[in-house]
Amino acid sequence: MLKRIFAIFLLMAVAGPVPGRAQDAAAPFDGDLQRLAEILGTLHYLRGICGTNEGQKWRAEMQALVDAETPSGERRNRMIASFNRGYNGFQQTYRSCTPAANVAIRRYLEEGSKISRDLTARYAN
């Protein structure tokens, strides 16, 4: 019996602590956060070419979202990939500000606001 306990202890000591996966586990609202990140990437690009002089405002909003959620590992990577997808998708489509770009900005501002309100109403304490 003592050998068995020693073997288990030795195995645990060699294996080390099991890394927690709780931070990488998907939250029920991750899909909404990823969509919001994509919208922020889109706004970062479109508002820049439309001369709003906001600088890094939308990128800073994305950073605040990442910091608030403190995602690490795969969650963080998915959020950043969503931001980049929004940015790159519109970078390939629009080279200058057009009326269609302004319509897209308005729609994304509305959708982003709605997602933010819904998330806050549903999950805020």
Side-chain angles (χ1 to χ4, degrees), residues 27-44:
F29 47 82
D30 274 358
D32 290 332
L33 287 180
Q34 288 174 26
R35 179 62 181 151
L36 187 57
E38 187 173 353
I39 290 169
L40 291 173
T42 299
L43 290 171
H44 181 59

Side-chain angles (χ1 to χ4, degrees), residues 41-84:
T42 299
L43 290 171
H44 181 59
Y45 179 74
L46 289 178
R47 299 283 284 189
I49 65 168
C50 286
T52 58
N53 296 323
E54 293 173 327
Q56 298 293 311
K57 174 183 178 177
W58 300 103
R59 187 182 180 289
E61 291 291 331
M62 175 62 184
Q63 187 63 54
L65 179 63
V66 169
D67 291 344
E69 269 305 298
T70 62
S72 64
E74 196 54 39
R75 281 185 81 210
R76 176 176 168 39
N77 293 340
R78 284 191 303 266
M79 287 179 66
I80 291 170
S82 294
F83 179 88
N84 291 337

